[in-house]
């Protein structure tokens, strides 16, 4: 896997479930405010699960560079994929 490629389980999820992810993300935003979608591989390595993580500007010690991305995107028209 090159530095700019996605893990296979993420690529598969995006390719096969794009609309569901979009609805899930927008529903998370509508219900809870800004946040991110976390994609986790399942133990079998062939599938994955997603989770909506609410943006908390006071708890970004592990990834401060994401703070500006999450804080500044327009969820009506944009998403961030990093």
């Amino acid at each position: 896997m090159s530095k700019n490629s996605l893990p296979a389980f993420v690529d598969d999820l995006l390719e096969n479930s794009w609309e569901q992810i979009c609805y899930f993300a927008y529903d998370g935003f509508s219900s809870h405010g800004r946040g991110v979608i976390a994609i986790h591989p399942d133990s079998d390595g062939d599938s994955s699960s997603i989770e909506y993580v609410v943006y908390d500007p006071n708890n970004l010690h592990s990834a401060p560079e994401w703070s500006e991305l999450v804080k500044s995107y327009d969820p009506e028209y944009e998403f961030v994929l990093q």
Side-chain angles (χ1 to χ4, degrees):
M1 176 171 63
S2 74
K3 181 179 178 184
N4 295 322
S5 66
L6 297 170
F9 72 92
V10 174
D11 194 43
D12 289 343
L13 185 67
L14 292 174
E15 184 175 326
N16 297 313
S17 303
W18 183 247
E19 285 187 2
Q20 292 89 341
I21 293 170
C22 290
Y23 290 124
F24 182 77
Y26 194 76
D27 184 57
F29 169 75
S30 297
S31 300
H32 305 291
R34 289 185 179 276
V36 299
I37 298 292
I39 303 174
H40 307 284
D42 288 340
S43 58
D44 61 11
D46 292 330
S47 57
S48 56
S49 60
I50 62 173
E51 165 187 23
Y52 190 80
V53 180
V54 177
Y55 170 68
D56 179 358
N58 299 314
N59 190 18
L60 290 171
H61 60 278
S62 63
E65 68 277 7
W66 292 16
S67 176
E68 193 58 39
L69 289 171
V70 176
K71 185 170 60 173
S72 64
Y73 81 103
D74 179 353
E76 292 286 335
Y77 301 101
E78 300 175 314
F79 66 93
V80 176
L81 179 61
Q82 173 139 354

